[in-house]
Amino acid sequence: MSAGCYGGYLRSNSPVDPTMVAQGVHTDGRFLFTYGTLKRGFSNHCLIQDLIRAGDASFVGSSLTVGRLPLVCGPYRVPFLLNFPGEGERVAGELYAVSPRGLTRMDELEGTLRGHYERLPISVAVLGDPHSAEAEVAAEAYYAHPSYASELWRRNGKRGYKVYSEKEATGYVKRMDRPQDISFLDQIRLFVASSRS
């Protein structure tokens, strides 16, 4: 991690206390912002439920990115956050305190070693009492891998969503129901290439 990165740790000037939100989870102060299928009510939330049961995650609260970022859909209506600060919208999602073991399981799901996503720092505001100030938290999120992010942004007409809701998820295809004879990266490449033809 570079010296200027806070890489998933709570900023010291934030009013959110990690010992309070982690509820006994050994997170080392790490927080993960979820914006797509890991959220409650979506297909991959079962992983977070498993992590919560194992003591490797706890829900912190609803949250919103501090800055604007593009949130787009790729093949099979899979959501992708793009690391293009200042583009797109402030994105709504959920914040979780996650243990190192929990992050390893999430990295596996998100294919970080296969070039699907990369886990990078993000600053989010925890939404709570409308009469109090937003608590800013340094977290991490899964971003589209840079090998295809620009093409995915162009494929979506350089327009993003504020939230991945049921509407945006309409048409989502679970991993087990996608073609198994082609890698997910190849599926992404075919998807972005289809806009050129």
Side-chain angles (χ1 to χ4, degrees), residues 1 25 66 71 73 85 88 94 99 116 169 178 190-191:
M1 177 177 6
V25 177
V66 170
L71 171 64
C73 288
E94 298 172 352
S99 73
H116 300 171
R178 298 175 201 157
L190 288 171
F191 177 79

PDB file of all heavy atoms in Angstrom, residues 1 25 66 71 73 85 88 94 99 116 169 178 190-191:
ATOM      1  N   MET A   1       0.839  -1.167   0.000  1.00  0.00           N
ATOM      2  CA  MET A   1       0.000   0.000   0.000  1.00  0.00           C
ATOM      3  C   MET A   1       0.887   1.234   0.000  1.00  0.00           C
ATOM      4  O   MET A   1       1.845   1.319   0.735  1.00  0.00           O
ATOM      5  CB  MET A   1      -0.896  -0.057   1.236  1.00  0.00           C
ATOM      6  CG  MET A   1      -1.756   1.123   1.398  1.00  0.00           C
ATOM      7  SD  MET A   1      -2.904   1.082   2.796  1.00  0.00           S
ATOM      8  CE  MET A   1      -2.524  -0.336   3.698  1.00  0.00           C
ATOM      9  N   VAL A  25     -16.283  -8.518  15.651  1.00  0.00           N
ATOM     10  CA  VAL A  25     -15.605  -9.055  14.472  1.00  0.00           C
ATOM     11  C   VAL A  25     -14.166  -8.554  14.483  1.00  0.00           C
ATOM     12  O   VAL A  25     -13.915  -7.368  14.664  1.00  0.00           O
ATOM     13  CB  VAL A  25     -16.316  -8.607  13.171  1.00  0.00           C
ATOM     14  CG1 VAL A  25     -15.572  -9.091  11.947  1.00  0.00           C
ATOM     15  CG2 VAL A  25     -17.750  -9.106  13.157  1.00  0.00           C
ATOM     16  N   VAL A  66     -18.465   9.175  -1.139  1.00  0.00           N
ATOM     17  CA  VAL A  66     -18.253  10.604  -0.911  1.00  0.00           C
ATOM     18  C   VAL A  66     -18.113  11.322  -2.245  1.00  0.00           C
ATOM     19  O   VAL A  66     -18.689  12.379  -2.459  1.00  0.00           O
ATOM     20  CB  VAL A  66     -17.011  10.829  -0.017  1.00  0.00           C
ATOM     21  CG1 VAL A  66     -16.624  12.304   0.030  1.00  0.00           C
ATOM     22  CG2 VAL A  66     -17.286  10.306   1.394  1.00  0.00           C
ATOM     23  N   LEU A  71     -21.091   3.721 -11.864  1.00  0.00           N
ATOM     24  CA  LEU A  71     -21.611   2.376 -11.582  1.00  0.00           C
ATOM     25  C   LEU A  71     -22.348   1.943 -12.840  1.00  0.00           C
ATOM     26  O   LEU A  71     -23.308   2.604 -13.258  1.00  0.00           O
ATOM     27  CB  LEU A  71     -22.553   2.391 -10.383  1.00  0.00           C
ATOM     28  CG  LEU A  71     -23.327   1.101 -10.108  1.00  0.00           C
ATOM     29  CD1 LEU A  71     -22.391  -0.044  -9.758  1.00  0.00           C
ATOM     30  CD2 LEU A  71     -24.338   1.318  -8.988  1.00  0.00           C
ATOM     31  N   CYS A  73     -23.445  -1.569 -15.650  1.00  0.00           N
ATOM     32  CA  CYS A  73     -23.694  -3.002 -15.769  1.00  0.00           C
ATOM     33  C   CYS A  73     -22.941  -3.543 -16.976  1.00  0.00           C
ATOM     34  O   CYS A  73     -22.840  -2.887 -18.007  1.00  0.00           O
ATOM     35  CB  CYS A  73     -25.184  -3.295 -15.915  1.00  0.00           C
ATOM     36  SG  CYS A  73     -26.104  -3.029 -14.389  1.00  0.00           S
ATOM     37  N   PRO A  85     -12.793   8.664 -10.731  1.00  0.00           N
ATOM     38  CA  PRO A  85     -13.318   9.691  -9.822  1.00  0.00           C
ATOM     39  C   PRO A  85     -13.793  10.930 -10.573  1.00  0.00           C
ATOM     40  O   PRO A  85     -13.159  11.380 -11.520  1.00  0.00           O
ATOM     41  CB  PRO A  85     -12.114  10.018  -8.924  1.00  0.00           C
ATOM     42  CG  PRO A  85     -11.235   8.805  -8.999  1.00  0.00           C
ATOM     43  CD  PRO A  85     -11.414   8.272 -10.399  1.00  0.00           C
ATOM     44  N   GLY A  88     -19.765   9.880 -13.346  1.00  0.00           N
ATOM     45  CA  GLY A  88     -20.888   9.156 -12.761  1.00  0.00           C
ATOM     46  C   GLY A  88     -21.596   9.914 -11.650  1.00  0.00           C
ATOM     47  O   GLY A  88     -21.711  11.136 -11.704  1.00  0.00           O
ATOM     48  N   GLU A  94     -23.937  -0.487   0.806  1.00  0.00           N
ATOM     49  CA  GLU A  94     -23.905  -0.917   2.205  1.00  0.00           C
ATOM     50  C   GLU A  94     -22.460  -1.062   2.656  1.00  0.00           C
ATOM     51  O   GLU A  94     -21.599  -1.468   1.875  1.00  0.00           O
ATOM     52  CB  GLU A  94     -24.622  -2.264   2.358  1.00  0.00           C
ATOM     53  CG  GLU A  94     -26.075  -2.205   1.993  1.00  0.00           C
ATOM     54  CD  GLU A  94     -26.755  -3.567   1.961  1.00  0.00           C
ATOM     55  OE1 GLU A  94     -26.074  -4.605   2.086  1.00  0.00           O
ATOM     56  OE2 GLU A  94     -27.988  -3.578   1.811  1.00  0.00           O
ATOM     57  N   SER A  99     -13.439  -9.141   8.422  1.00  0.00           N
ATOM     58  CA  SER A  99     -12.156  -9.661   8.897  1.00  0.00           C
ATOM     59  C   SER A  99     -11.242  -9.964   7.714  1.00  0.00           C
ATOM     60  O   SER A  99     -11.712 -10.103   6.575  1.00  0.00           O
ATOM     61  CB  SER A  99     -12.373 -10.948   9.698  1.00  0.00           C
ATOM     62  OG  SER A  99     -12.704 -12.014   8.818  1.00  0.00           O
ATOM     63  N   HIS A 116     -10.822 -10.065 -12.711  1.00  0.00           N
ATOM     64  CA  HIS A 116     -12.208  -9.620 -12.867  1.00  0.00           C
ATOM     65  C   HIS A 116     -12.401  -8.256 -12.203  1.00  0.00           C
ATOM     66  O   HIS A 116     -12.921  -7.328 -12.807  1.00  0.00           O
ATOM     67  CB  HIS A 116     -13.182 -10.619 -12.254  1.00  0.00           C
ATOM     68  CG  HIS A 116     -13.104 -11.982 -12.868  1.00  0.00           C
ATOM     69  ND1 HIS A 116     -13.764 -13.060 -12.353  1.00  0.00           N
ATOM     70  CD2 HIS A 116     -12.443 -12.455 -13.947  1.00  0.00           C
ATOM     71  CE1 HIS A 116     -13.513 -14.137 -13.081  1.00  0.00           C
ATOM     72  NE2 HIS A 116     -12.714 -13.785 -14.057  1.00  0.00           N
ATOM     73  N   ALA A 169     -30.970  -4.644 -11.847  1.00  0.00           N
ATOM     74  CA  ALA A 169     -30.615  -6.065 -11.777  1.00  0.00           C
ATOM     75  C   ALA A 169     -31.516  -6.947 -12.632  1.00  0.00           C
ATOM     76  O   ALA A 169     -31.233  -8.143 -12.788  1.00  0.00           O
ATOM     77  CB  ALA A 169     -30.658  -6.546 -10.332  1.00  0.00           C
ATOM     78  N   ARG A 178     -24.540 -19.058 -16.382  1.00  0.00           N
ATOM     79  CA  ARG A 178     -23.844 -18.478 -17.531  1.00  0.00           C
ATOM     80  C   ARG A 178     -23.093 -19.570 -18.280  1.00  0.00           C
ATOM     81  O   ARG A 178     -22.815 -20.628 -17.714  1.00  0.00           O
ATOM     82  CB  ARG A 178     -22.839 -17.422 -17.056  1.00  0.00           C
ATOM     83  CG  ARG A 178     -23.478 -16.263 -16.336  1.00  0.00           C
ATOM     84  CD  ARG A 178     -22.427 -15.314 -15.796  1.00  0.00           C
ATOM     85  NE  ARG A 178     -22.981 -14.515 -14.713  1.00  0.00           N
ATOM     86  CZ  ARG A 178     -22.268 -13.928 -13.778  1.00  0.00           C
ATOM     87  NH1 ARG A 178     -20.940 -14.036 -13.783  1.00  0.00           N
ATOM     88  NH2 ARG A 178     -22.853 -13.229 -12.834  1.00  0.00           N
ATOM     89  N   LEU A 190     -16.357  -9.825 -24.988  1.00  0.00           N
ATOM     90  CA  LEU A 190     -17.404  -9.942 -26.008  1.00  0.00           C
ATOM     91  C   LEU A 190     -18.468  -8.858 -25.804  1.00  0.00           C
ATOM     92  O   LEU A 190     -18.964  -8.278 -26.782  1.00  0.00           O
ATOM     93  CB  LEU A 190     -18.037 -11.331 -25.967  1.00  0.00           C
ATOM     94  CG  LEU A 190     -17.178 -12.478 -26.495  1.00  0.00           C
ATOM     95  CD1 LEU A 190     -17.830 -13.831 -26.183  1.00  0.00           C
ATOM     96  CD2 LEU A 190     -16.943 -12.326 -27.984  1.00  0.00           C
ATOM     97  N   PHE A 191     -18.811  -8.590 -24.568  1.00  0.00           N
ATOM     98  CA  PHE A 191     -19.830  -7.584 -24.260  1.00  0.00           C
ATOM     99  C   PHE A 191     -19.372  -6.200 -24.717  1.00  0.00           C
ATOM    100  O   PHE A 191     -20.121  -5.498 -25.393  1.00  0.00           O
ATOM    101  CB  PHE A 191     -20.096  -7.578 -22.745  1.00  0.00           C
ATOM    102  CG  PHE A 191     -21.069  -6.531 -22.305  1.00  0.00           C
ATOM    103  CD1 PHE A 191     -22.440  -6.719 -22.457  1.00  0.00           C
ATOM    104  CD2 PHE A 191     -20.630  -5.349 -21.706  1.00  0.00           C
ATOM    105  CE1 PHE A 191     -23.339  -5.749 -22.037  1.00  0.00           C
ATOM    106  CE2 PHE A 191     -21.523  -4.384 -21.286  1.00  0.00           C
ATOM    107  CZ  PHE A 191     -22.888  -4.586 -21.455  1.00  0.00           C
TER     108      PHE A 191
END
